[in-house]
Amino acid sequence: MNDLENATTLKALRELEEVKKERDELIHTLIYISAAANINQNIVEGNIADSKLAELAKTQKNAADYIEKVTGRNIEDVLAENEALAAIEEGKK
């Protein structure tokens, strides 16, 4: 590799690390919102945060691992619970 390729690779790696950091901060914020909504019994906010977490978990293995680590819950259980809550909410409409 020449110096230009090395510099380009290093820049790309730094940008990737920044994106990962932002993703982790987003996940952490969504988990916080979900937990706070659960405490306040705000189903709408909780469902929004949980659905965004579920979307991340479906598309990114690292996101699923992070969610499991932070919440201490299996992601499959969380996704099943979210689907059940969504069905209940849909039935109320």
Side-chain angles (χ1 to χ4, degrees):
M1 256 189 225
N2 63 36
D3 288 343
L4 180 59
E5 289 172 327
N6 285 337
T8 303
T9 301
L10 287 174
K11 181 180 177 190
L13 288 173
R14 281 191 215 113
E15 289 173 358
L16 178 61
E17 286 302 314
E18 186 62 32
V19 169
K20 286 180 180 179
K21 180 181 174 188
E22 289 174 7
R23 182 209 56 215
D24 288 350
E25 289 172 358
L26 170 65
I27 292 169
H28 189 74
T29 301
L30 287 169
I31 290 169
Y32 176 81
I33 291 168
S34 177
N38 188 41
I39 291 168
N40 296 327
Q41 296 182 347
N42 188 327
I43 293 171
V44 174
E45 284 182 10
N47 282 348
I48 291 170
D50 289 345
S51 70
K52 294 301 178 189
L53 286 167
E55 287 174 25
L56 283 169
K58 287 179 184 176
T59 59
Q60 296 188 31
K61 173 73 172 115
N62 290 341
D65 291 345
Y66 184 82
I67 292 166
E68 288 180 357
K69 182 176 89 174
V70 172
T71 63
R73 297 179 64 202
N74 180 291
I75 194 63
E76 295 302 321
D77 294 341
V78 173
L79 293 174
E81 185 178 297
N82 288 344
E83 286 182 28
L85 288 171
I88 291 168
E89 285 300 308
E90 192 63 34
K92 290 181 181 178
K93 292 181 181 180

